[in-house]
Amino acid sequence: MRTPSPDSSRPLLAASAVLLALAAQNIGAAFAKQLFPLVGAEGVTALRVGISAAILLALWRPWRRLPSRQDARNLLIYGLGMGCMNLFIYHAFARIPIGIAVAIEVSGPLSVVLFASRRPRDFAWLACMVMGLTLLLPITRHASALDPVGVLWAIGAAVCWALYIVFGKRVSHIESGHAVAWGMTAAALFAVPLGVSHAGSALLSPVILLTGLTVAVLSSTLPYSFEMMALRRLPRRVFGILVSAAPAIAALAGWLILDERLGLQQWLAIALVMFASAGSAATTDRSAAAA
């Protein structure tokens, strides 16, 4: 039997890394949701962001090359966007199923791509996204009942994700590990005091600290590592298509770990959002390559 060459196996390994990153991130989200009754969304955000910042600072030691004043300002906004995105999506997870919250959140980065485009085909992806969100959100008579506050938190997370991408682009010239470490530190400066003021000494419970470490590693450290490895080996189009599976993987994690069951219309809505995201990633990258 013919053995695949190392070069031919690299794309498969990279694609597997992306799917592992998504699985780890959403399994971490499911574990995080189990902590909400104990320390609230603020406490879980503080644990995830604070522990992740400590790990990334120890790993990259970014203080060896300090950013300029302009970069520091952009890194601060980038980090605050990251921290608010985590806080808002955890508030959404506490009120609505994880898969639905992630499907709404994905509309943030997708909107950044689509609203910056003037090509007719991109308006088709935009229409597909709007159709999916219309089926998903509790704004029509046939939509499934959802907590409107949870939906608003998910929309807020989508806005923060869009800001995270815009300002992440502005600091993309900084070494990637350093940018993420500084951004996570800025997020921790916002999230940790908020979490401590909300949950207090409960955050120091050994069980909660251990679960928080698990959430931080699954939701941040492992996904960032896997995605960085994949980005070096995969075309952006393929990477974007794989990442578009996030809402489905989130919904599966919610079903397997939390017994969150979605209706047929909700699955259809998630599929439409995923289709819009994958289509946008594919056509955007092809156009960039042609240019």
Side-chain angles (χ1 to χ4, degrees):
M1 189 173 75
R2 185 178 177 183
T3 303
S5 67
D7 287 341
S8 65
S9 64
R10 283 179 182 175
L12 179 59
L13 289 174
S16 300
V18 175
L19 296 177
L20 282 173
L22 292 174
Q25 201 164 34
N26 289 293
I27 291 171
F31 277 112
K33 188 164 183 173
Q34 294 175 328
L35 285 179
F36 292 160
L38 302 175
V39 295
E42 292 85 357
V44 179
T45 303
L47 288 170
R48 173 183 172 178
V49 172
I51 294 173
S52 297
I55 293 172
L56 289 168
L57 285 173
L59 183 64
W60 292 102
R61 292 176 287 177
W63 56 83
R64 294 177 297 176
R65 185 179 301 170
L66 295 176
S68 67
R69 182 177 297 180
Q70 180 66 36
D71 285 340
R73 184 161 50 245
N74 288 330
L75 283 167
L76 177 63
I77 300 174
Y78 165 72
L80 289 175
M82 186 188 299
C84 289
M85 179 175 65
N86 281 282
L87 176 63
F88 291 0
I89 198 62
Y90 279 163
H91 272 296
F93 287 168
R95 293 169 172 82
I96 61 178
I98 289 176
I100 293 176
V102 173
I104 296 171
E105 187 189 28
V106 164
S107 67
L110 182 56
S111 298
V112 171
V113 175
L114 295 180
F115 289 145
S117 175
R118 296 295 182 270
R119 294 173 300 141
R121 75 178 68 174
D122 287 330
F123 288 101
W125 304 130
L126 179 61
C128 187
M129 180 187 73
V130 170
M131 189 183 307
L133 292 176
T134 300
L135 290 174
L136 202 59
L137 301 179
I139 55 178
T140 64
R141 187 178 60 181
H142 301 292
S144 300
L146 290 173
D147 184 335
V149 176
V151 170
L152 288 175
W153 280 116
I155 293 172
V159 173
C160 290
W161 196 350
L163 291 173
Y164 164 83
I165 289 175
V166 170
F167 283 91
K169 180 67 174 175
R170 294 185 184 182
V171 297
S172 60
H173 61 280
I174 302 173
E175 187 176 344
S176 58
H178 288 205
V180 174
W182 283 125
M184 193 66 76
T185 301
L189 292 175
F190 153 74
V192 171
L194 184 65
V196 170
S197 67
H198 178 83
S201 60
L203 293 175
L204 300 178
S205 164
V207 174
I208 290 176
L209 277 176
L210 182 60
T211 308
L213 174 62
T214 303
V215 170
V217 171
L218 287 174
S219 298
S220 298
T221 309
L222 282 180
Y224 288 143
S225 301
F226 285 146
E227 287 176 2
M228 288 299 293
M229 186 266 283
L231 279 168
R232 289 194 295 268
R233 293 169 173 81
L234 285 177
R236 284 180 300 168
R237 174 177 60 86
V238 177
F239 183 83
I241 292 170
L242 289 170
V243 168
S244 68
I249 294 176
L252 287 173
W255 173 55
L256 290 172
I257 299 174
L258 302 171
D259 197 32
E260 294 179 345
R261 300 178 184 273
L262 304 183
L264 180 61
Q265 181 171 305
Q266 292 172 323
W267 276 110
L268 174 61
I270 288 174
L272 285 170
V273 173
M274 289 169 54
F275 183 66
S277 180
S280 173
T283 56
T284 298
D285 193 69
R286 284 174 182 164
S287 298

